[in-house]
């Protein structure tokens, strides 16, 4: 009988968690325009940086291959 009572009263725990989560929500959200701009432009900056690093690695690899070819 207690299992059935626990099963039927388990909704109370669910609703109490939802009520608590609702009370802990942030009241106001403020936006920092400068931080937003930095975040959005950061995508391009990171992409360009990755491309530059890849170019440098390819250049070093090509140089090492030339040295190996000379040795042979």
């Amino acid at each position: 009988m207690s299992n059935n009572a626990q099963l039927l009263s388990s909704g109370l725990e669910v609703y109490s968690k939802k009520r608590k989560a609702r009370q802990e929500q942030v009241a106001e959200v403020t936006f920092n325009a400068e931080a937003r701009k930095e975040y959005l432009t950061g995508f391009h900056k990171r992409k360009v940086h990755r491309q530059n690093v890849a170019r440098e690695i390819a250049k070093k690899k090509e140089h090492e291959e030339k040295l190996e070819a000379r040795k042979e």
Side-chain angles (χ1 to χ4, degrees):
M1 197 56 111
S2 64
N3 289 336
N4 192 25
Q6 287 176 347
L7 179 66
L8 293 174
S9 64
S10 64
L12 178 65
E13 295 174 9
V14 172
Y15 288 119
S16 66
K17 287 180 183 178
K18 286 185 180 181
R19 228 184 342 267
K20 185 178 179 183
R22 206 175 325 134
Q23 290 174 349
E24 294 174 353
Q25 287 180 346
V26 177
E28 181 180 352
V29 176
T30 57
F31 291 97
N32 182 349
E34 187 63 31
R36 179 182 179 273
K37 183 178 178 184
E38 178 64 29
Y39 172 75
L40 293 175
T41 58
F43 292 109
H44 180 68
K45 290 178 184 178
R46 288 188 293 274
K47 181 179 178 179
V48 169
H49 179 69
R50 279 195 311 270
Q51 290 172 344
N52 289 336
V53 169
R55 282 189 195 111
E56 290 176 11
I57 291 172
K59 193 180 282 187
K60 287 180 183 179
K61 188 175 181 180
E62 184 180 336
H63 180 69
E64 289 174 2
E65 288 175 358
K66 276 186 180 180
L67 292 177
E68 288 294 323
R70 286 182 188 169
K71 284 181 182 179
E72 293 176 359

